[in-house]
DNA sequence: TCAATTATTGACTTCTCGTCAAAAATGACA
DNA sequence: TGTCATTTTTGACGAGAAGTCAATAATTGA
């Protein structure tokens, strides 16, 4: 029994190693470059062994995506508890998103691959569910903040709109901005020189537009964001490094 | 000379046919399923002939993307001229985006493939530039509306923010919402039952938040959007059908 | 120690990409 | 119309990746 678990542990360890080898290939050279032969060669195992762990490379991508989504959830969990009033907590989520975009670029790239239709479709329901769960947990964290805001009386979500639909708008603008920043040929050439700052301004406008108190004017909002970011970011760095330790 | 052009025309016609054959494969079965062998077989030509037209399949995707972006631009051009005051014109752009998402789904899927890093990187600068141009034209149309709004005095873009950065927010939220709707496993399960309506509400909030006059309350905005949509949509359908005729 | 179970291996089949020499079609000119 | 240079088309081919599976090796329990 003890021996069995030793072997079992050995196998689990190798699963992690496969992911560690596959991640930079996927992130830096793309899905096409990630081949089972290559992973096997890099690890000095036979290809069949890799297939014992993952039935195809799409499953490797989803396994990586599970890690990335878990990191995101951890960042959200931590950030959501970092401030006191609901609006600041929402702003802290914004900081977490900025952190994820700028300092967890690899994970962000992986999330994009995960959202690729052909990758998603081919992978196991089990891992799909893990991702869905993680997504739901992230949503629960943020919509929880909205719920608290409503309960505090500092926010009124429009009639006929769920808290989650309220969150959806912020999710969409953050996510869309990330993708455009990463994939639109040349935002600066289009006149978009500082997408991060622009995003902050738009979020501020939305928060004010929904009258989420305390209302702040723009410069107030921006300086608070800056302060929040410099307080929160070091902690997020630690969190991220811890998370990466766990993956070994 | 006349003979030469006949041959030339024959070749151009076939380029179009390749795209017509490739489009449904890419859209319905994904990039992976789009193989040169398959296109050749479907058209009853040899593979080498297809390679005479396109050096690899990535180039086919970008050629399709050029068509899709041109359709988008046409929709924007038409919509931007459809209303009189600047805020309504901005709302008309929103309607055009909704139309594109719901009634030009194939083109939207193609745009996503175009934004895929490995596809983009491999394709010719010439086609990349066509796409960039189209993107810039779309941006120019929308930022033009913003400029007009500022000139009319019905809108004040925050200091230190370009018109394009102002547009960027709307672009991001619209685009992000489209991607999430298309790729997030189950928005309804997350509590997002009507993303389209949610998006409208968020856009309304942003427009009001930036004090783009005439300010409207939510129900006013939604009923106006609805009216604008029912006026504009039939024209956009015509426009789309015309565009598809040209591609033959 | 040995048989049963489990894990690993890499050769093999199938598929696609992208190339290129040979074959076919075209066109200009006598 | 016949000839020949040019252009276009063809499909066989090499390279390389996906995924399978029978043979081999390692591990375990008795």
């Amino acid at each position: 029994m003890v021996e069995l678990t030793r072997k079992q542990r050995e196998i689990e360890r190798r699963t992690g190693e496969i992911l560690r080898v596959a991640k930079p290939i996927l992130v830096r050279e793309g899905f096409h470059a990630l081949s089972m032969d290559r992973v096997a060669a890099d690890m000095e195992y036979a290809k069949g062994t890799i297939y014992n762990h993952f039935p195809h490379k799409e499953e490797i991508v989803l396994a990586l995506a599970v890690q990335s989504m878990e990191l995101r959830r951890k960042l959200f969990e931590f950030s959501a508890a970092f401030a006191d009033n609901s609006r600041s907590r929402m702003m802290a989520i914004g900081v977490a998103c900025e952190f994820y975009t700028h300092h967890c670029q690899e994970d962000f790239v992986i999330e994009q691959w995960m959202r690729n239709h052909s990758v998603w479709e081919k992978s196991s329901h089990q891992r799909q569910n893990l991702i869905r769960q993680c997504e739901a947990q992230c949503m629960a964290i943020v919509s929880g903040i909205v719920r608290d805001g409503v309960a505090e009386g500092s926010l009124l979500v429009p009639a006929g709109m769920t808290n989650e639909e309220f969150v959806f708008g912020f999710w969409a603008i953050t996510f869309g901005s990330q993708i455009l920043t990463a994939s639109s040929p040349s935002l600066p050439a289009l006149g978009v020189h500082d997408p991060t700052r622009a995003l902050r301004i738009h979020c501020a406008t939305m928060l004010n537009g929904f009258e989420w108190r305390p209302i702040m004017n723009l410069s107030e909002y921006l300086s608070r964001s800056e302060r929040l970011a410099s307080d929160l970011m070091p902690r997020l760095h630690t969190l991220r490094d811890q998370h990466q330790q766990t993956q070994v």
Side-chain angles (χ1 to χ4, degrees), chain A residues 66-109:
Chain A
V66 170
Q67 296 183 346
S68 299
M69 290 294 292
E70 271 169 4
L71 172 58
R72 188 187 270 279
R73 196 202 54 215
K74 285 180 191 172
L75 296 177
F76 275 31
E77 263 167 9
F78 185 86
S79 304
F82 194 73
D84 41 7
N85 68 77
S86 61
R87 178 157 166 162
S88 301
R89 289 165 65 210
M90 190 70 176
M91 283 168 67
I93 295 289
V95 171
C97 287
E98 280 182 20
F99 178 83
Y100 196 80
T101 316
H102 293 124
H103 301 288
C104 315
Q105 287 176 349
E106 302 197 336
D107 299 274
F108 180 62
V109 171

mmCIF file of all heavy atoms in Angstrom, chain A residues 66-109:
data_model
loop_
_atom_site.group_PDB
_atom_site.id
_atom_site.type_symbol
_atom_site.label_atom_id
_atom_site.label_comp_id
_atom_site.label_asym_id
_atom_site.label_seq_id
_atom_site.Cartn_x
_atom_site.Cartn_y
_atom_site.Cartn_z
ATOM 1 N N VAL A 66 -6.144 25.047 -15.953
ATOM 2 C CA VAL A 66 -6.657 24.878 -14.586
ATOM 3 C C VAL A 66 -5.731 25.587 -13.605
ATOM 4 O O VAL A 66 -6.183 26.336 -12.735
ATOM 5 C CB VAL A 66 -6.778 23.380 -14.222
ATOM 6 C CG1 VAL A 66 -7.066 23.211 -12.738
ATOM 7 C CG2 VAL A 66 -7.874 22.719 -15.039
ATOM 8 N N GLN A 67 -4.414 25.382 -13.782
ATOM 9 C CA GLN A 67 -3.460 26.074 -12.913
ATOM 10 C C GLN A 67 -3.613 27.589 -13.007
ATOM 11 O O GLN A 67 -3.625 28.289 -11.995
ATOM 12 C CB GLN A 67 -2.024 25.705 -13.306
ATOM 13 C CG GLN A 67 -1.662 24.248 -13.115
ATOM 14 C CD GLN A 67 -0.218 23.949 -13.453
ATOM 15 O OE1 GLN A 67 0.466 24.765 -14.079
ATOM 16 N NE2 GLN A 67 0.262 22.783 -13.029
ATOM 17 N N SER A 68 -3.741 28.070 -14.239
ATOM 18 C CA SER A 68 -3.835 29.523 -14.444
ATOM 19 C C SER A 68 -5.091 30.087 -13.807
ATOM 20 O O SER A 68 -5.061 31.139 -13.164
ATOM 21 C CB SER A 68 -3.813 29.846 -15.934
ATOM 22 O OG SER A 68 -2.606 29.402 -16.511
ATOM 23 N N MET A 69 -6.187 29.389 -14.002
ATOM 24 C CA MET A 69 -7.449 29.862 -13.426
ATOM 25 C C MET A 69 -7.401 29.832 -11.901
ATOM 26 O O MET A 69 -7.972 30.689 -11.243
ATOM 27 C CB MET A 69 -8.606 28.989 -13.917
ATOM 28 C CG MET A 69 -8.949 29.153 -15.380
ATOM 29 S SD MET A 69 -9.601 30.780 -15.767
ATOM 30 C CE MET A 69 -11.171 30.717 -14.911
ATOM 31 N N GLU A 70 -6.707 28.823 -11.372
ATOM 32 C CA GLU A 70 -6.593 28.763 -9.906
ATOM 33 C C GLU A 70 -5.782 29.931 -9.363
ATOM 34 O O GLU A 70 -6.116 30.494 -8.322
ATOM 35 C CB GLU A 70 -5.983 27.420 -9.471
ATOM 36 C CG GLU A 70 -7.063 26.384 -9.259
ATOM 37 C CD GLU A 70 -6.529 24.978 -9.098
ATOM 38 O OE1 GLU A 70 -5.287 24.794 -9.075
ATOM 39 O OE2 GLU A 70 -7.363 24.053 -9.017
ATOM 40 N N LEU A 71 -4.738 30.271 -10.114
ATOM 41 C CA LEU A 71 -3.972 31.450 -9.706
ATOM 42 C C LEU A 71 -4.869 32.683 -9.719
ATOM 43 O O LEU A 71 -4.890 33.473 -8.771
ATOM 44 C CB LEU A 71 -2.784 31.655 -10.652
ATOM 45 C CG LEU A 71 -2.021 32.964 -10.460
ATOM 46 C CD1 LEU A 71 -1.487 33.086 -9.040
ATOM 47 C CD2 LEU A 71 -0.873 33.078 -11.464
ATOM 48 N N ARG A 72 -5.639 32.813 -10.771
ATOM 49 C CA ARG A 72 -6.537 33.964 -10.866
ATOM 50 C C ARG A 72 -7.481 34.001 -9.667
ATOM 51 O O ARG A 72 -7.676 35.053 -9.047
ATOM 52 C CB ARG A 72 -7.339 33.898 -12.168
ATOM 53 C CG ARG A 72 -8.162 35.145 -12.455
ATOM 54 C CD ARG A 72 -9.056 34.962 -13.659
ATOM 55 N NE ARG A 72 -8.463 35.345 -14.929
ATOM 56 C CZ ARG A 72 -8.389 36.600 -15.376
ATOM 57 N NH1 ARG A 72 -8.826 37.592 -14.634
ATOM 58 N NH2 ARG A 72 -7.870 36.864 -16.551
ATOM 59 N N ARG A 73 -8.028 32.845 -9.356
ATOM 60 C CA ARG A 73 -8.960 32.798 -8.229
ATOM 61 C C ARG A 73 -8.282 33.218 -6.933
ATOM 62 O O ARG A 73 -8.824 33.998 -6.151
ATOM 63 C CB ARG A 73 -9.529 31.395 -8.084
ATOM 64 C CG ARG A 73 -10.759 31.328 -7.210
ATOM 65 C CD ARG A 73 -10.954 29.929 -6.673
ATOM 66 N NE ARG A 73 -9.750 29.463 -5.984
ATOM 67 C CZ ARG A 73 -9.327 28.206 -6.003
ATOM 68 N NH1 ARG A 73 -9.979 27.285 -6.694
ATOM 69 N NH2 ARG A 73 -8.235 27.864 -5.339
ATOM 70 N N LYS A 74 -7.067 32.723 -6.718
ATOM 71 C CA LYS A 74 -6.335 33.099 -5.503
ATOM 72 C C LYS A 74 -6.115 34.607 -5.439
ATOM 73 O O LYS A 74 -6.268 35.228 -4.382
ATOM 74 C CB LYS A 74 -4.978 32.386 -5.458
ATOM 75 C CG LYS A 74 -5.072 30.911 -5.102
ATOM 76 C CD LYS A 74 -3.674 30.276 -5.070
ATOM 77 C CE LYS A 74 -3.771 28.762 -4.976
ATOM 78 N NZ LYS A 74 -2.441 28.119 -5.145
ATOM 79 N N LEU A 75 -5.733 35.183 -6.574
ATOM 80 C CA LEU A 75 -5.503 36.630 -6.606
ATOM 81 C C LEU A 75 -6.793 37.372 -6.256
ATOM 82 O O LEU A 75 -6.791 38.344 -5.502
ATOM 83 C CB LEU A 75 -5.010 37.068 -7.984
ATOM 84 C CG LEU A 75 -3.653 36.528 -8.447
ATOM 85 C CD1 LEU A 75 -3.343 36.986 -9.860
ATOM 86 C CD2 LEU A 75 -2.530 36.951 -7.506
ATOM 87 N N PHE A 76 -7.900 36.878 -6.824
ATOM 88 C CA PHE A 76 -9.194 37.511 -6.563
ATOM 89 C C PHE A 76 -9.560 37.393 -5.084
ATOM 90 O O PHE A 76 -9.950 38.372 -4.451
ATOM 91 C CB PHE A 76 -10.290 36.873 -7.421
ATOM 92 C CG PHE A 76 -10.404 37.454 -8.801
ATOM 93 C CD1 PHE A 76 -9.303 37.954 -9.475
ATOM 94 C CD2 PHE A 76 -11.638 37.496 -9.446
ATOM 95 C CE1 PHE A 76 -9.409 38.482 -10.756
ATOM 96 C CE2 PHE A 76 -11.761 38.031 -10.717
ATOM 97 C CZ PHE A 76 -10.647 38.513 -11.377
ATOM 98 N N GLU A 77 -9.414 36.172 -4.561
ATOM 99 C CA GLU A 77 -9.759 35.942 -3.154
ATOM 100 C C GLU A 77 -9.003 36.900 -2.252
ATOM 101 O O GLU A 77 -9.579 37.539 -1.365
ATOM 102 C CB GLU A 77 -9.387 34.501 -2.751
ATOM 103 C CG GLU A 77 -10.551 33.543 -2.803
ATOM 104 C CD GLU A 77 -10.093 32.084 -2.712
ATOM 105 O OE1 GLU A 77 -8.896 31.827 -2.444
ATOM 106 O OE2 GLU A 77 -10.951 31.210 -2.936
ATOM 107 N N PHE A 78 -7.711 36.967 -2.495
ATOM 108 C CA PHE A 78 -6.890 37.817 -1.645
ATOM 109 C C PHE A 78 -7.292 39.286 -1.780
ATOM 110 O O PHE A 78 -7.495 39.990 -0.786
ATOM 111 C CB PHE A 78 -5.415 37.634 -1.990
ATOM 112 C CG PHE A 78 -4.506 38.390 -1.075
ATOM 113 C CD1 PHE A 78 -4.101 37.835 0.122
ATOM 114 C CD2 PHE A 78 -4.082 39.674 -1.402
ATOM 115 C CE1 PHE A 78 -3.281 38.543 0.991
ATOM 116 C CE2 PHE A 78 -3.265 40.386 -0.540
ATOM 117 C CZ PHE A 78 -2.861 39.825 0.652
ATOM 118 N N SER A 79 -7.432 39.722 -3.030
ATOM 119 C CA SER A 79 -7.697 41.146 -3.273
ATOM 120 C C SER A 79 -9.048 41.568 -2.726
ATOM 121 O O SER A 79 -9.202 42.676 -2.200
ATOM 122 C CB SER A 79 -7.635 41.445 -4.765
ATOM 123 O OG SER A 79 -6.384 41.050 -5.276
ATOM 124 N N ALA A 80 -10.024 40.669 -2.842
ATOM 125 C CA ALA A 80 -11.385 41.018 -2.414
ATOM 126 C C ALA A 80 -11.439 41.272 -0.914
ATOM 127 O O ALA A 80 -12.355 41.944 -0.426
ATOM 128 C CB ALA A 80 -12.347 39.897 -2.784
ATOM 129 N N ALA A 81 -10.458 40.733 -0.181
ATOM 130 C CA ALA A 81 -10.463 40.920 1.274
ATOM 131 C C ALA A 81 -9.521 42.038 1.689
ATOM 132 O O ALA A 81 -9.339 42.293 2.876
ATOM 133 C CB ALA A 81 -10.064 39.609 1.941
ATOM 134 N N PHE A 82 -8.930 42.691 0.715
ATOM 135 C CA PHE A 82 -7.833 43.611 1.026
ATOM 136 C C PHE A 82 -8.314 44.993 1.476
ATOM 137 O O PHE A 82 -7.621 45.689 2.193
ATOM 138 C CB PHE A 82 -6.923 43.741 -0.191
ATOM 139 C CG PHE A 82 -5.611 44.386 0.105
ATOM 140 C CD1 PHE A 82 -4.627 43.707 0.817
ATOM 141 C CD2 PHE A 82 -5.346 45.683 -0.312
ATOM 142 C CE1 PHE A 82 -3.414 44.309 1.104
ATOM 143 C CE2 PHE A 82 -4.125 46.285 -0.028
ATOM 144 C CZ PHE A 82 -3.156 45.594 0.685
ATOM 145 N N ALA A 83 -9.507 45.373 1.027
ATOM 146 C CA ALA A 83 -9.992 46.716 1.391
ATOM 147 C C ALA A 83 -11.240 46.573 2.253
ATOM 148 O O ALA A 83 -11.747 45.482 2.468
ATOM 149 C CB ALA A 83 -10.301 47.508 0.128
ATOM 150 N N ASP A 84 -11.732 47.683 2.766
ATOM 151 C CA ASP A 84 -12.873 47.586 3.683
ATOM 152 C C ASP A 84 -14.212 47.843 3.004
ATOM 153 O O ASP A 84 -15.088 46.991 3.018
ATOM 154 C CB ASP A 84 -12.667 48.487 4.909
ATOM 155 C CG ASP A 84 -12.057 49.825 4.522
ATOM 156 O OD1 ASP A 84 -11.931 50.083 3.294
ATOM 157 O OD2 ASP A 84 -11.712 50.599 5.432
ATOM 158 N N ASN A 85 -14.378 48.999 2.385
ATOM 159 C CA ASN A 85 -15.698 49.242 1.791
ATOM 160 C C ASN A 85 -15.824 48.591 0.423
ATOM 161 O O ASN A 85 -14.818 48.277 -0.228
ATOM 162 C CB ASN A 85 -15.998 50.750 1.732
ATOM 163 C CG ASN A 85 -15.106 51.455 0.746
ATOM 164 O OD1 ASN A 85 -15.320 51.375 -0.464
ATOM 165 N ND2 ASN A 85 -14.063 52.120 1.248
ATOM 166 N N SER A 86 -17.052 48.361 0.016
ATOM 167 C CA SER A 86 -17.287 47.532 -1.168
ATOM 168 C C SER A 86 -16.652 48.128 -2.427
ATOM 169 O O SER A 86 -16.069 47.409 -3.229
ATOM 170 C CB SER A 86 -18.790 47.323 -1.372
ATOM 171 O OG SER A 86 -19.432 48.562 -1.580
ATOM 172 N N ARG A 87 -16.746 49.426 -2.582
ATOM 173 C CA ARG A 87 -16.194 50.004 -3.814
ATOM 174 C C ARG A 87 -14.681 49.834 -3.889
ATOM 175 O O ARG A 87 -14.133 49.533 -4.951
ATOM 176 C CB ARG A 87 -16.567 51.489 -3.942
ATOM 177 C CG ARG A 87 -15.950 52.103 -5.181
ATOM 178 C CD ARG A 87 -16.632 53.318 -5.703
ATOM 179 N NE ARG A 87 -15.760 53.978 -6.665
ATOM 180 C CZ ARG A 87 -16.135 54.863 -7.547
ATOM 181 N NH1 ARG A 87 -17.400 55.229 -7.611
ATOM 182 N NH2 ARG A 87 -15.276 55.393 -8.375
ATOM 183 N N SER A 88 -14.010 49.985 -2.778
ATOM 184 C CA SER A 88 -12.555 49.771 -2.784
ATOM 185 C C SER A 88 -12.220 48.318 -3.055
ATOM 186 O O SER A 88 -11.218 48.008 -3.714
ATOM 187 C CB SER A 88 -11.946 50.190 -1.445
ATOM 188 O OG SER A 88 -12.229 51.541 -1.198
ATOM 189 N N ARG A 89 -13.058 47.437 -2.544
ATOM 190 C CA ARG A 89 -12.810 46.018 -2.804
ATOM 191 C C ARG A 89 -12.959 45.729 -4.300
ATOM 192 O O ARG A 89 -12.197 44.951 -4.875
ATOM 193 C CB ARG A 89 -13.756 45.157 -1.978
ATOM 194 C CG ARG A 89 -13.399 45.180 -0.485
ATOM 195 C CD ARG A 89 -14.510 44.633 0.388
ATOM 196 N NE ARG A 89 -14.763 43.235 0.148
ATOM 197 C CZ ARG A 89 -15.958 42.644 0.301
ATOM 198 N NH1 ARG A 89 -17.011 43.365 0.694
ATOM 199 N NH2 ARG A 89 -16.098 41.373 0.064
ATOM 200 N N MET A 90 -13.931 46.378 -4.919
ATOM 201 C CA MET A 90 -14.097 46.216 -6.370
ATOM 202 C C MET A 90 -12.864 46.754 -7.099
ATOM 203 O O MET A 90 -12.390 46.140 -8.056
ATOM 204 C CB MET A 90 -15.349 46.982 -6.816
ATOM 205 C CG MET A 90 -15.768 46.699 -8.232
ATOM 206 S SD MET A 90 -16.429 45.009 -8.431
ATOM 207 C CE MET A 90 -16.923 45.056 -10.154
ATOM 208 N N MET A 91 -12.373 47.883 -6.632
ATOM 209 C CA MET A 91 -11.166 48.441 -7.243
ATOM 210 C C MET A 91 -9.973 47.497 -7.055
ATOM 211 O O MET A 91 -9.129 47.367 -7.948
ATOM 212 C CB MET A 91 -10.856 49.816 -6.652
ATOM 213 C CG MET A 91 -11.755 50.910 -7.198
ATOM 214 S SD MET A 91 -11.636 52.461 -6.257
ATOM 215 C CE MET A 91 -9.967 52.965 -6.642
ATOM 216 N N ALA A 92 -9.935 46.821 -5.915
ATOM 217 C CA ALA A 92 -8.847 45.869 -5.670
ATOM 218 C C ALA A 92 -8.897 44.711 -6.666
ATOM 219 O O ALA A 92 -7.863 44.215 -7.124
ATOM 220 C CB ALA A 92 -8.911 45.348 -4.239
ATOM 221 N N ILE A 93 -10.118 44.296 -7.019
ATOM 222 C CA ILE A 93 -10.244 43.273 -8.060
ATOM 223 C C ILE A 93 -9.652 43.785 -9.371
ATOM 224 O O ILE A 93 -8.958 43.057 -10.093
ATOM 225 C CB ILE A 93 -11.723 42.878 -8.269
ATOM 226 C CG1 ILE A 93 -12.304 42.214 -7.020
ATOM 227 C CG2 ILE A 93 -11.882 41.963 -9.485
ATOM 228 C CD1 ILE A 93 -11.772 40.830 -6.736
ATOM 229 N N GLY A 94 -9.910 45.050 -9.656
ATOM 230 C CA GLY A 94 -9.324 45.662 -10.851
ATOM 231 C C GLY A 94 -7.803 45.595 -10.817
ATOM 232 O O GLY A 94 -7.163 45.266 -11.819
ATOM 233 N N VAL A 95 -7.237 45.889 -9.657
ATOM 234 C CA VAL A 95 -5.778 45.808 -9.515
ATOM 235 C C VAL A 95 -5.309 44.374 -9.754
ATOM 236 O O VAL A 95 -4.311 44.144 -10.444
ATOM 237 C CB VAL A 95 -5.343 46.290 -8.111
ATOM 238 C CG1 VAL A 95 -3.860 45.993 -7.877
ATOM 239 C CG2 VAL A 95 -5.617 47.768 -7.954
ATOM 240 N N ALA A 96 -6.054 43.410 -9.204
ATOM 241 C CA ALA A 96 -5.690 42.007 -9.414
ATOM 242 C C ALA A 96 -5.683 41.672 -10.905
ATOM 243 O O ALA A 96 -4.784 40.974 -11.391
ATOM 244 C CB ALA A 96 -6.650 41.093 -8.666
ATOM 245 N N CYS A 97 -6.653 42.187 -11.625
ATOM 246 C CA CYS A 97 -6.700 41.940 -13.077
ATOM 247 C C CYS A 97 -5.501 42.568 -13.771
ATOM 248 O O CYS A 97 -4.878 41.948 -14.645
ATOM 249 C CB CYS A 97 -7.994 42.491 -13.670
ATOM 250 S SG CYS A 97 -9.435 41.503 -13.244
ATOM 251 N N GLU A 98 -5.183 43.784 -13.367
ATOM 252 C CA GLU A 98 -3.998 44.429 -13.953
ATOM 253 C C GLU A 98 -2.757 43.596 -13.674
ATOM 254 O O GLU A 98 -1.914 43.392 -14.548
ATOM 255 C CB GLU A 98 -3.795 45.829 -13.359
ATOM 256 C CG GLU A 98 -4.685 46.882 -13.984
ATOM 257 C CD GLU A 98 -4.403 48.264 -13.395
ATOM 258 O OE1 GLU A 98 -3.317 48.480 -12.822
ATOM 259 O OE2 GLU A 98 -5.289 49.136 -13.507
ATOM 260 N N PHE A 99 -2.653 43.119 -12.444
ATOM 261 C CA PHE A 99 -1.498 42.295 -12.063
ATOM 262 C C PHE A 99 -1.426 41.043 -12.930
ATOM 263 O O PHE A 99 -0.372 40.684 -13.447
ATOM 264 C CB PHE A 99 -1.596 41.899 -10.590
ATOM 265 C CG PHE A 99 -0.476 41.013 -10.139
ATOM 266 C CD1 PHE A 99 0.748 41.558 -9.769
ATOM 267 C CD2 PHE A 99 -0.632 39.640 -10.101
ATOM 268 C CE1 PHE A 99 1.794 40.739 -9.351
ATOM 269 C CE2 PHE A 99 0.411 38.813 -9.688
ATOM 270 C CZ PHE A 99 1.619 39.371 -9.322
ATOM 271 N N TYR A 100 -2.580 40.407 -13.075
ATOM 272 C CA TYR A 100 -2.633 39.179 -13.872
ATOM 273 C C TYR A 100 -2.181 39.449 -15.304
ATOM 274 O O TYR A 100 -1.410 38.697 -15.886
ATOM 275 C CB TYR A 100 -4.055 38.618 -13.846
ATOM 276 C CG TYR A 100 -4.191 37.186 -14.296
ATOM 277 C CD1 TYR A 100 -3.886 36.135 -13.455
ATOM 278 C CD2 TYR A 100 -4.647 36.882 -15.575
ATOM 279 C CE1 TYR A 100 -4.017 34.813 -13.858
ATOM 280 C CE2 TYR A 100 -4.784 35.568 -15.993
ATOM 281 C CZ TYR A 100 -4.467 34.542 -15.123
ATOM 282 O OH TYR A 100 -4.605 33.240 -15.538
ATOM 283 N N THR A 101 -2.680 40.539 -15.883
ATOM 284 C CA THR A 101 -2.305 40.879 -17.258
ATOM 285 C C THR A 101 -0.811 41.137 -17.394
ATOM 286 O O THR A 101 -0.171 40.659 -18.322
ATOM 287 C CB THR A 101 -3.030 42.144 -17.725
ATOM 288 O OG1 THR A 101 -4.385 42.067 -17.326
ATOM 289 C CG2 THR A 101 -2.925 42.308 -19.228
ATOM 290 N N HIS A 102 -0.270 41.910 -16.469
ATOM 291 C CA HIS A 102 1.108 42.362 -16.666
ATOM 292 C C HIS A 102 2.146 41.420 -16.090
ATOM 293 O O HIS A 102 3.247 41.309 -16.624
ATOM 294 C CB HIS A 102 1.289 43.755 -16.057
ATOM 295 C CG HIS A 102 0.506 44.802 -16.784
ATOM 296 N ND1 HIS A 102 -0.402 45.620 -16.153
ATOM 297 C CD2 HIS A 102 0.450 45.131 -18.097
ATOM 298 C CE1 HIS A 102 -0.957 46.415 -17.039
ATOM 299 N NE2 HIS A 102 -0.463 46.141 -18.228
ATOM 300 N N HIS A 103 1.791 40.732 -15.003
ATOM 301 C CA HIS A 103 2.807 39.931 -14.336
ATOM 302 C C HIS A 103 2.539 38.429 -14.396
ATOM 303 O O HIS A 103 3.303 37.647 -13.842
ATOM 304 C CB HIS A 103 2.963 40.386 -12.885
ATOM 305 C CG HIS A 103 3.340 41.826 -12.768
ATOM 306 N ND1 HIS A 103 4.592 42.292 -13.090
ATOM 307 C CD2 HIS A 103 2.612 42.909 -12.417
ATOM 308 C CE1 HIS A 103 4.620 43.604 -12.911
ATOM 309 N NE2 HIS A 103 3.431 44.006 -12.509
ATOM 310 N N CYS A 104 1.453 38.054 -14.998
ATOM 311 C CA CYS A 104 1.183 36.629 -15.202
ATOM 312 C C CYS A 104 0.830 36.420 -16.666
ATOM 313 O O CYS A 104 -0.154 35.758 -17.003
ATOM 314 C CB CYS A 104 0.051 36.133 -14.311
ATOM 315 S SG CYS A 104 0.128 36.670 -12.607
ATOM 316 N N GLN A 105 1.651 37.032 -17.523
ATOM 317 C CA GLN A 105 1.347 37.009 -18.953
ATOM 318 C C GLN A 105 1.205 35.584 -19.483
ATOM 319 O O GLN A 105 0.342 35.308 -20.310
ATOM 320 C CB GLN A 105 2.433 37.748 -19.728
ATOM 321 C CG GLN A 105 2.349 39.246 -19.542
ATOM 322 C CD GLN A 105 3.477 39.974 -20.237
ATOM 323 O OE1 GLN A 105 4.434 39.352 -20.695
ATOM 324 N NE2 GLN A 105 3.371 41.290 -20.317
ATOM 325 N N GLU A 106 2.077 34.696 -18.992
ATOM 326 C CA GLU A 106 2.017 33.318 -19.476
ATOM 327 C C GLU A 106 0.646 32.712 -19.218
ATOM 328 O O GLU A 106 0.068 32.069 -20.087
ATOM 329 C CB GLU A 106 3.086 32.470 -18.786
ATOM 330 C CG GLU A 106 4.495 33.004 -18.996
ATOM 331 C CD GLU A 106 5.560 31.975 -18.667
ATOM 332 O OE1 GLU A 106 5.261 31.059 -17.877
ATOM 333 O OE2 GLU A 106 6.670 32.083 -19.214
ATOM 334 N N ASP A 107 0.148 32.953 -18.002
ATOM 335 C CA ASP A 107 -1.150 32.390 -17.654
ATOM 336 C C ASP A 107 -2.254 33.001 -18.506
ATOM 337 O O ASP A 107 -3.193 32.314 -18.909
ATOM 338 C CB ASP A 107 -1.423 32.637 -16.171
ATOM 339 C CG ASP A 107 -0.386 31.964 -15.307
ATOM 340 O OD1 ASP A 107 -0.572 30.776 -15.011
ATOM 341 O OD2 ASP A 107 0.625 32.602 -14.972
ATOM 342 N N PHE A 108 -2.093 34.268 -18.793
ATOM 343 C CA PHE A 108 -3.103 34.915 -19.624
ATOM 344 C C PHE A 108 -3.122 34.318 -21.033
ATOM 345 O O PHE A 108 -4.200 34.058 -21.596
ATOM 346 C CB PHE A 108 -2.845 36.421 -19.677
ATOM 347 C CG PHE A 108 -3.840 37.134 -20.509
ATOM 348 C CD1 PHE A 108 -5.176 37.119 -20.158
ATOM 349 C CD2 PHE A 108 -3.454 37.774 -21.670
ATOM 350 C CE1 PHE A 108 -6.118 37.758 -20.942
ATOM 351 C CE2 PHE A 108 -4.395 38.412 -22.456
ATOM 352 C CZ PHE A 108 -5.721 38.406 -22.094
ATOM 353 N N VAL A 109 -1.938 34.071 -21.573
ATOM 354 C CA VAL A 109 -1.852 33.454 -22.901
ATOM 355 C C VAL A 109 -2.506 32.067 -22.873
ATOM 356 O O VAL A 109 -3.242 31.686 -23.784
ATOM 357 C CB VAL A 109 -0.380 33.352 -23.361
ATOM 358 C CG1 VAL A 109 -0.267 32.517 -24.626
ATOM 359 C CG2 VAL A 109 0.200 34.733 -23.585
#
